[in-house]
Amino acid sequence: MPMDLIPAPRNTRGAGRPGFAPDRDTTITAAPGTENTARWLRTTLGAAFGLPLSPRAGTTTGPRSAPGPDSAPGAENTTRAGNTVELLIDPDLESEGYRLSIDPGHGIRITGGSAAGVFWGAQTLRQLLGPEAFRRAPVTAEPDLGLPALEIEDGPRFAWRGLMLDVSRHFMPKEDVLRYLDLLAAHKLNVFHFHLTDDQGWRVEIKRHPRLTEVGAWRSRTKYGHRASELWDETPYGGYYTQDDIREIVAYAAERHISVVPEIDIPGHSQAAISAYPELGNTDVIDTTTLSVWDTWGINPNVLAPTDNTLRFFEGVFEEILELFPATTSPFIHVGGDECLKDQWRESPTAQARIAELGLAGEDGLQAWFIGHFDTWLTERGRRLIGWDEILEGGLPQGAAVSSWRGYAGGVAAAEAGHDVVMCPEQQVYLDHRQHGGPDEPMPIGFIRTLEDVYRFEPVPPGLSEEAARHILGTQANVWTEVMQNRARVDYQVFPRLAAFAEVAWSALPASADRDFAEFERRMTTHYARLDALGVDYRPPGGPLPRQQRPGILGRPLDGPPPNV
C-alpha cells in the first residue's frame, strides 16, 4: 500500500514488511482525553469499511502488562491485545505531535502529545488505509486493509495553519461549512477564519440587532464576474447563520481540534450593517437611509461613523459573538480593519470633531483609536484582537495581532515591533487568484498561482530577526468569494492548492527553491483519489473540465510574476 502522505511526515521508519490489517473484530482502546478521536475513527472508518471498531472491554488504569519500547511513560492504558487501535496521550511529546506505530503483533498505536496530536495521527492512519477510507460507504465487501509495519513520528512546523473563507460575498450554507471543516482536518489545518460580514451581506444572527440579518443579509441582485463585468444575476440573494447554526459549527470544529476565528469587519466594509441601521454611517455626509446591501465588488466608501453610538452598537454585537465563539475554541477575534476609505471622515464634522477632541493624528489616528477601543474591550474579556495589516496605520496596541495580507511587509513590520503575525500575503496564498494562464480558467482573477507556486511559498521571509521570527504564529490561505457563486467554484479555486499549502504549514520543508515538487506531485496522484472519494470538485492537473469553465465571464487577470512586497 503506498504511503503518499500529505502533508509529509517528519520521520518514517520500518515501512515495507507486513504489519496489521484491521477487521470486524478490531477494537479501539482509548485513554482518557482521546475519546473524541475514538468516536471520529469509529464514525469515519465504520462508514468507509463497515468496521464496528467497538470499545475494548477491560480498560485498566495501570501501565500496560508488557510495555513496548516506545510506550508512553505514565500514560493510562489498557492491557495490550493484538487486534486493537490504541489511543494514548504522552505529555512529553510536543502538543500537536504524534507517534503512529503499526506492528503485526500489537495492532495500531497512536500516541499524541495532546488530544489534538492523537487526532492528527488518526488523520494519517486514514490516509494509510487508502482512498476508500474517505468514502461514506464500503465499495467492496472485502477491502484490503493491510498496513505495513512502520513507525511515524510527526509534528507541525507552525501552530497556526489556517484557511479564511469569505461567506459574505457568496453565502455558504451550514452543511457546506461543516464539510470544509472536515477538509481542513483531513489536511491537518487547525484554524478556520470565518469572514462573516462585509458590504455585500451580514451572515450571523445578532438577537439584539435583528435588522442585521432581516435587512443586512439580503441583496437585490449580484454582479456576475469581476466588478467591471456588465453581467448581473438579478435573483435576490442572501442567507445567514442562526445562533444555533454557529454553535453547531463551532462545536463541530472543536471536535476536530480546529479553532474558529470569527471576523466582524469594522470600520470599513460595513455597508450591509449601515443599510440595516443607517445611524451607524456618516449621516452628516450622506443620506445613509438610501443605502442598500451592496450588489457589486470593490472597496466601498461607506464606512462606520466614529461615534459613541457606533461603539456601543458593536460592543453589543461582540458580546453576542463572544458567547457564540467561546474562548476555548476562539481566543482570537478578527475585526477586519482593512480598506477603510477615509473620504467620508475627512468631510464629516462629527469625525473631525472627534479627531480634535482626542488629539489624534488625522484620519489614520481615528481608525487606530477605533481599533484600539475594541482591542481594550476584547482584552478585558480575555480575548485577543487580530486584524488585517492596515491596523498598523496610526499605531497598534501591543497585544494585537496582525494578518499580513498586502504582502510580507506589514507582517515584517508588525513582528519587528513585537506583534504576533499570521502570514497570508495575497501575492502568494490568495486562492481566488487564478491557477493557470490559459483562456479556460473560470473568471480569472489576479496573478497565476500554480500548485508549484503555492508549494514553494515560504511564510517566514528571509532577513527577519530571530526575535521577530518567533512572532510568526503561522500562515493562512485566504479565499474571497466574489466570483465563486457556489461550493463547486470554491472547490475549484481551493483544491488542489490547499494540499500544497497544508504541507507548507505543517511539514519541515527545505528552502523554497530546494523543495522537491516532483516528489510532491507524485504523492498528489494518490491524493487526487482521496479528493475524488470526498467529492471535491478540484481543478484537474490538465486544466478545467468543460463544466468548470465560465466562457465569456469577465475576470481581472494580472500578468507577470507577483511582486514580492
Side-chain angles (χ1 to χ4, degrees), residues 37 88 94-99 110-123 154 188 257 506:
T37 297
L88 302 165
E94 61 185 290
S95 176
E96 289 191 277
Y98 67 89
R99 184 168 56 242
I110 302 173
T111 307
S114 65
V118 176
F119 183 69
W120 303 133
Q123 294 289 347
D154 199 9
K188 298 187 175 73
H257 301 280
W506 176 277

Side-chain angles (χ1 to χ4, degrees), residues 215-293:
V215 174
W218 311 94
R219 58 182 183 254
S220 62
R221 63 176 187 169
T222 299
K223 175 69 73 172
Y224 193 46
H226 183 259
R227 62 180 176 269
S229 168
E230 296 182 356
L231 300 176
W232 294 88
D233 182 341
E234 298 290 346
T235 307
Y237 185 90
Y240 66 92
Y241 308 102
T242 68
Q243 294 205 347
D244 281 345
D245 290 340
I246 294 292
R247 292 185 181 97
E248 181 182 356
I249 289 167
V250 170
Y252 196 85
E255 287 188 348
R256 287 148 183 78
H257 301 280
I258 296 172
S259 297
V260 182
V261 180
E263 180 179 354
I264 304 297
D265 208 341
I266 55 174
H269 288 291
S270 295
Q271 182 159 319
I274 297 168
S275 71
Y277 293 93
E279 66 272 20
L280 297 174
N282 293 284
T283 58
D284 54 352
V285 176
I286 64 165
D287 181 2
T288 55
T289 64
T290 65
L291 297 178
S292 59
V293 178

Side-chain angles (χ1 to χ4, degrees), residues 193-198 202-204 206 261-270 314 317-318 321 325 333-337 386:
H193 178 166
F194 206 5
H195 184 80
L196 288 163
T197 74
D198 217 294
W202 185 284
R203 305 295 179 210
V204 55
I206 303 296
V261 180
E263 180 179 354
I264 304 297
D265 208 341
I266 55 174
H269 288 291
S270 295
F314 278 92
V317 169
F318 282 117
I321 291 294
F325 297 89
I333 304 296
H334 207 292
V335 299
I386 186 168

Side-chain angles (χ1 to χ4, degrees), residues 410-449:
V412 169
E416 294 287 4
H419 297 285
D420 288 340
V421 172
V422 175
M423 281 294 187
C424 49
E426 68 164 325
Q427 302 86 354
Q428 311 296 329
V429 287
Y430 267 34
L431 300 185
D432 39 298
H433 283 215
R434 58 191 172 137
Q435 303 183 63
H436 191 274
D440 294 330
E441 292 303 307
M443 302 188 201
I445 299 295
F447 295 103
I448 298 170
R449 293 287 85 195

Side-chain angles (χ1 to χ4, degrees), residues 191-478:
V191 176
F192 178 58
H193 178 166
F194 206 5
H195 184 80
L196 288 163
T197 74
D198 217 294
D199 300 300
Q200 294 85 1
W202 185 284
R203 305 295 179 210
V204 55
E205 178 187 27
I206 303 296
K207 291 187 180 295
R208 74 188 69 187
H209 302 308
R211 286 177 58 83
L212 286 172
T213 46
E214 291 172 356
V215 174
W218 311 94
R219 58 182 183 254
S220 62
R221 63 176 187 169
T222 299
K223 175 69 73 172
Y224 193 46
H226 183 259
R227 62 180 176 269
S229 168
E230 296 182 356
L231 300 176
W232 294 88
D233 182 341
E234 298 290 346
T235 307
Y237 185 90
Y240 66 92
Y241 308 102
T242 68
Q243 294 205 347
D244 281 345
D245 290 340
I246 294 292
R247 292 185 181 97
E248 181 182 356
I249 289 167
V250 170
Y252 196 85
E255 287 188 348
R256 287 148 183 78
H257 301 280
I258 296 172
S259 297
V260 182
V261 180
E263 180 179 354
I264 304 297
D265 208 341
I266 55 174
H269 288 291
S270 295
Q271 182 159 319
I274 297 168
S275 71
Y277 293 93
E279 66 272 20
L280 297 174
N282 293 284
T283 58
D284 54 352
V285 176
I286 64 165
D287 181 2
T288 55
T289 64
T290 65
L291 297 178
S292 59
V293 178
W294 213 22
D295 55 13
T296 189
W297 323 124
I299 303 176
N300 190 298
N302 296 301
V303 303
L304 297 174
T307 63
D308 291 342
N309 175 68
T310 300
L311 298 181
R312 301 293 88 77
F313 183 97
F314 278 92
E315 287 171 359
V317 169
F318 282 117
E319 282 180 6
E320 295 193 28
I321 291 294
L322 296 192
E323 190 274 327
L324 295 172
F325 297 89
T328 51
T329 56
S330 302
F332 285 91
I333 304 296
H334 207 292
V335 299
D338 62 314
E339 297 179 329
C340 178
L341 298 181
K342 301 178 175 66
D343 295 344
Q344 290 183 357
W345 286 354
R346 292 186 185 96
E347 298 175 23
S348 164
T350 300
Q352 293 302 313
R354 176 126 280 179
I355 290 171
E357 170 198 349
L358 299 172
L360 301 175
E363 290 74 27
D364 284 348
L366 188 59
Q367 177 167 341
W369 165 81
F370 197 99
I371 297 298
H373 174 88
F374 286 100
D375 177 79
T376 300
W377 191 93
L378 289 167
T379 300
E380 289 172 349
R381 289 155 181 81
R383 305 299 180 95
R384 290 189 65 188
L385 180 145
I386 186 168
W388 303 111
D389 55 59
E390 287 97 328
I391 68 173
L392 288 163
E393 298 166 4
L396 184 63
Q398 192 58 40
V402 170
S403 301
S404 186
W405 77 273
R406 289 181 294 178
Y408 288 107
V412 169
E416 294 287 4
H419 297 285
D420 288 340
V421 172
V422 175
M423 281 294 187
C424 49
E426 68 164 325
Q427 302 86 354
Q428 311 296 329
V429 287
Y430 267 34
L431 300 185
D432 39 298
H433 283 215
R434 58 191 172 137
Q435 303 183 63
H436 191 274
D440 294 330
E441 292 303 307
M443 302 188 201
I445 299 295
F447 295 103
I448 298 170
R449 293 287 85 195
T450 65
L451 183 67
E452 181 172 0
D453 290 330
V454 174
Y455 191 67
R456 297 194 185 282
F457 165 60
E458 173 49 52
V460 181
L464 202 61
S465 71
E466 184 177 335
E467 174 63 26
R470 284 195 285 268
H471 284 287
I472 306 298
L473 298 177
T475 184
Q476 177 174 291
N478 294 340

Side-chain angles (χ1 to χ4, degrees), residues 29-39 76 87-90 112-119 254-255 257:
T29 57
T34 69
E35 297 87 353
N36 277 355
T37 297
R39 183 166 56 251
E76 295 184 350
L87 308 178
L88 302 165
I89 292 177
D90 178 0
S114 65
V118 176
F119 183 69
E255 287 188 348
H257 301 280

